[in-house]
Amino acid sequence: MHTPSDHAFRLTTLVLAGLLGVQSVWLLLSELSRPGIDRLPTNAQATVISAKQRNDAFWAARIGAIRGELWAESAFTFADLLWVSPDTDSEKVAAERARAELDNALGYAPHQSDVWLLLAGLESRYQSLKSDPTEALKMSY
């Protein structure tokens, strides 16, 4: 015979198992769509390769939502803006989008110094971001 405490235990266990299942699917989806950019690209060739993965990195970050390392990877795909002329309108729009993704990355993972370094680089090249690059550079150290 089952007592009320048995039913409460089974219900609690079922709810926790469901939450664990949802979390597993959430982690698996973001990992499967992750492009694998594990650090800030540091040369022009690497930035071109990472820029081609911009859409995949963005969707992995959107799925991961609160995972700062995924937002950082998405922001790293904008490192190609450091090697192009900041004069065109499309580059300025891309810099604004990069700033939004950098803000997400810094909001969820402020300990990542390479994100601060990318922010400092973009702020020094694109005056439209209206921020002081020296503050971001200080934070990278």
Side-chain angles (χ1 to χ4, degrees), residues 38-118:
D38 58 347
R39 61 184 161 188
L40 179 64
T42 56
N43 60 43
Q45 182 181 3
T47 61
V48 169
I49 293 169
S50 69
K52 291 178 183 176
Q53 298 174 332
R54 188 171 291 160
N55 194 36
D56 293 338
F58 175 72
W59 281 108
R62 289 282 308 246
I63 292 169
I66 60 170
R67 293 181 56 192
E69 82 278 4
L70 293 176
W71 284 110
E73 288 179 9
S74 182
F76 292 160
T77 63
F78 289 96
D80 63 325
L81 297 175
L82 297 174
W83 274 273
V84 296
S85 173
D87 298 333
T88 64
D89 288 335
S90 64
E91 300 304 325
K92 291 177 184 176
V93 170
E96 291 295 328
R97 182 172 167 211
R99 176 59 194 249
E101 295 198 24
L102 285 166
D103 287 343
N104 282 331
L106 292 172
Y108 294 118
H111 61 278
Q112 290 192 299
S113 61
D114 46 0
V115 177
W116 287 105
L117 192 60
L118 178 60

